[in-house]
Each structure stands twice: as C-alpha cells, then as structure tokens.
Amino acid sequence: MSKKQFFIGIILASLIGGIVALAGVGFLMQPQSANNFDEKQKASFVSLLSGEDFTIPDGINFVASAEVVTPAVVHITSEISYTQSPNRGQRDPLQEFFGLPSPEGRQPRSPQGMSSGSGVIISSDGYIVTNNHVVENATKVDITLENNKRYVAKVIGTDPTTDLALLKIEDTNLPFVKFGDSDQTKIGEWVLAVGNPFNLNSTVTAGIISAKARNINILKDENKMQIESFLQTDAVVNPGNSGGALVNLAGELIGINTAIATQTGTFSGYSFAVPSTLVKKVMDDLMKYGTVQRGLLGVTIQSVSPELADYLDKDFGVDQGVYVSGVNENSGGMEAGLKEGDIIIGVDGKPTNNVSNLQELVARKRPGDQVEVEYLRDGKTYKAKATLKNFDGDTKIIKKEIPKTYEFGGMVFEELKSQVKEGLRLNGGAMISVVGESEWREAGARPGFIITSIISDEGRTRIKSVEHLLEVLNEKSGEDVVVLGMFQDGTEYYFEVELD
C-alpha cells in the first residue's frame, strides 16, 4: 500500500467515524418509544410525580388509610404506683399508743411514676385497646385524642400473657378503627404503623409484613401461658408507639404494635405486633367476662427442626410442624387420642408450622370449644376433635369478680375481698383503689391501702365496710382526721387529711 492510499484510508475512516458518532448522538437525543426499557429506567421519578396526569394506583395509596386511622389513635399517659407500702421509720407517741409509725418518718418511697404509649379506639362508644405494659400498675390513665380532647379512662381488663389491655372512655360518636383479618395478610404486603407518641399527635410510618408467627421471647408468665405469634414488620416504631395500630391499606386494624428489635432502645429495623385475630378475641373476653378465657389442648410441644430430629434420632417425615413431647392427663388432647411423638400439622384446617402458629390458633378459642387437630403418626395423617379445657381442667367460663366501688372527694374505694381479710386477719375495712387529684394524694394516700380506722377529736372509729367509711367521712366533714390502716403486704401506715 502506498503512502497516498494509507492517508486516504485514514481520512475516510475518520469521516465515517464522525458520521456514526453524530448519528448516535442524534438518536439518543430523540424521544424514544415507551416500550424502551432503558428509557423507563432513565425517566425522572420526580418529574413523573409532578405530572398532572399522575395518579397513585389503587391499593398502594397510603393517604386514604392514614386519614381513616389517625383520628382513632390516641396518646395514653399513665400514673404508675411503683410501690404499695412506705418505708419504715422511727416510733413516736402515736405509734406507742396505736402501734403505728409516724408519717414524718415513713414517707412513701418512689411516690408516682409515669408511663406513656398509644392506643386504638375500636368502638364509637369509647373502648380502646393498648398494651398491658402501657397501663400496668396504673393509678390513673389519661387519654388524649388527635384533636387534643382529653379524658380519664377506666381500665376494663388486662392480659399480660398477650400484653394487651382494654380501656374505656365515656363519650359517643368517636372515630374508631375497624378490625381486619390478620390471617389474610401476606408477607410483602404494605402496612402502616400509626402511633401517638410523646404528645406529638399521630405519626404514620410505612413498611411491609416481613414475617408472621414470630416468637421473640419477651413475654413472661408464671404458668407459661404467654402467647407470642407476632406479625413482624419493618415499619418504623419507637417507644411511645406501643399500643398503636398496624393497619392495611384499607385502614383495617391487623395488629397492635407491641415491641421493637433493639439494642439501643430505638428502632433498628424490625417491629412486632399482636395479630388482630388474637386482639379481637382478647378484647371480646375482657369486655364480656373481665378476664381472658384460655382454652388449652393440654400437650407439651416443640417446633419440628433438624436439631430436634437429631436429638431424638428420628425422621419426622416433615420439615415443619409441632412435635408432641407429652400429653397431660384428662386433657382435651388426651381425650382426642393424641400421643407423645405425634406431629400436629394443622388446626381447624390451618397449618401449624411451628409452636407460635399452634398457640395462636388455640388461644383464639375458649374452654368448651372444639378444634379439629390434624396430625401425623407413623407416616400417616389423622384428624381428631379435641375439646379445650381451662387451666383447672374443666370447661367452665370464669368471670372476674368486679368489686363494687364508691367515690368520695376524688377518691375511689372498694370492698375488701374475703381472701384479703382472711390473709390479714381483718374483720372489716375498705381499700383505696384510685387516688384522684385531691388532698388525699398529697397526704400520702396510695392505691391498695386498706383503711381500718379513722381518728378524730371524738376518738377512734373502726371501719366495718366501705359504706361505713363513707358515713364516717361525711360526719367528719371539715375536720382534720388521721386515717389508719395497712397495705396488702401487712405493712401498717397512717396519714393525716383534712376532709372537705
């Protein structure tokens, strides 16, 4: 090739390259088809949202759900009594005469603490669900709505085994959240966590269902009756949101936010909620009976796992299920024919992949209810009907004894239960159940204190009952009196108060 041909070739190649480059730039600058994948990836999301024609697809509109739920999520502030009896002090003439300590030497320790959280109104007449730990040992529970309207709530009942509590405020036509079906929620589904923490009014965060039937071992019960079958979500939940609502995008309650996974006290990725199917059953029980009715299958159980199979040196034939390691005498499980070594794989047609699944399904029932148990034995599948029993081994429904209460001067008193009288060897008395904003509180009155006598200028009057106490207090109106008595641990105490 000659030098002339070489240079001509270079010039032609340069011209062709330039033409191709210009054509490419022109092509990239032209509008491209909507079907072009690269164009979809490069589209400006901000520009898309600002377009007049943009609408959020049905089913993922957070706004509608938030607008429905936030008015029904309340802030809860509880005054907590950390101790029921005061410290011991020195003796004085009054103690020498009556055998009681001086109030100057025996001031109550840790007078009152505070606890706060959130709650969800579940009926238009003022029933509210929250966590038990938000109102545990509360002497007074204040409720603040999203519009800043305030109430004092009555604790209808609590259930530490699920960390749930039912409260009541007196009003009508209140906004409320409808129950949804947590069984129908799916992993990956969008959810909103709505709380009302630290008097900041409602806060809304979004996330997805990360897992179901989680057991994180945070609830404790002396009879091992705790139920942990939490919905796990990555929606941000922080302290103060406890007791708030977990809702689907239809604004339906599918859980009560209860706990977070944390090593710092703040949210670090996961939160946990009691599923609504269990919440509704517990609320129904507390409203109707004052206490939760627990139906028991009466078996000792473990989740099927490779580790358990290795330990037992056996092949279960399944990778998931609940292994029966023991059956209680006269239990519903024994009467249904369950035996050690069986693997429960379903209850009432719903799979039981682990212990949490099984416990939740059974916890929705009451003593006397029947469940269909599906189980494996020797590689074969069987079904049996089991009648659930209560902790005492029968099918009776237990109603909580609700003592009659009486109010006087911002205080609430109640009659002593017979077992309390017997334990303290008392012939009479009246117990303080609520200490309101009054001189009684400043004088040292505490919930749980049992009034046994009233001392006035006329002498000492032994209290026979609550009605007798009210008669005496009304007679002594305008006088300074000494209130004598004891706490339920037997510690004696007294305080002075001026009666209005």
Side-chain angles (χ1 to χ4, degrees), residues 77-192:
T77 303
S78 302
E79 294 185 8
I80 305 297
S81 176
Y82 289 117
T83 178
Q84 295 296 318
S85 60
N87 289 320
R88 297 191 177 278
Q90 299 179 347
R91 298 175 69 85
D92 68 353
L94 189 61
Q95 180 176 3
E96 296 294 340
F97 187 76
F98 291 111
L100 297 173
S102 165
E104 287 80 7
R106 298 196 54 185
Q107 294 300 316
R109 59 178 183 263
S110 303
Q112 290 289 118
M114 303 295 292
S115 174
S116 68
S118 301
V120 185
I121 303 175
I122 55 174
S123 69
S124 62
D125 58 346
Y127 282 99
I128 298 171
V129 59
T130 186
N131 287 140
N132 173 66
H133 73 259
V134 173
V135 297
E136 190 173 17
N137 297 322
T139 59
K140 184 184 178 186
V141 179
D142 291 309
I143 303 293
T144 305
L145 270 58
E146 188 200 27
N147 61 8
N148 288 328
K149 192 171 183 179
R150 299 191 177 190
Y151 304 81
V152 175
K154 178 181 180 181
V155 178
I156 301 298
T158 61
D159 180 31
T161 66
T162 56
D163 196 20
L164 294 171
L166 180 64
L167 313 178
K168 179 72 166 65
I169 58 177
E170 296 304 322
D171 206 343
T172 57
N173 298 318
L174 293 166
F176 66 96
V177 182
K178 293 181 179 180
F179 276 100
D181 186 354
S182 55
D183 284 349
Q184 299 302 313
T185 61
K186 300 183 184 301
I187 295 174
E189 178 179 342
W190 280 108
V191 290
L192 298 182

Side-chain angles (χ1 to χ4, degrees), residues 355-403:
V355 167
S356 295
N357 275 148
L358 177 59
Q359 287 181 325
E360 181 193 345
L361 290 172
V362 174
R364 299 178 192 177
K365 305 291 184 178
R366 299 185 176 100
D369 288 347
Q370 274 195 340
V371 294
E372 183 182 68
V373 181
E374 185 175 2
Y375 62 96
L376 296 175
R377 181 184 296 169
D378 299 326
K380 296 182 180 180
T381 302
Y382 299 88
K383 291 183 179 180
K385 293 284 188 180
T387 301
L388 304 180
K389 299 186 178 182
N390 60 28
F391 193 74
D392 294 327
D394 56 44
T395 59
K396 294 179 181 178
I397 295 294
I398 301 171
K399 289 190 176 183
K400 183 179 179 181
E401 180 185 349
I402 302 177

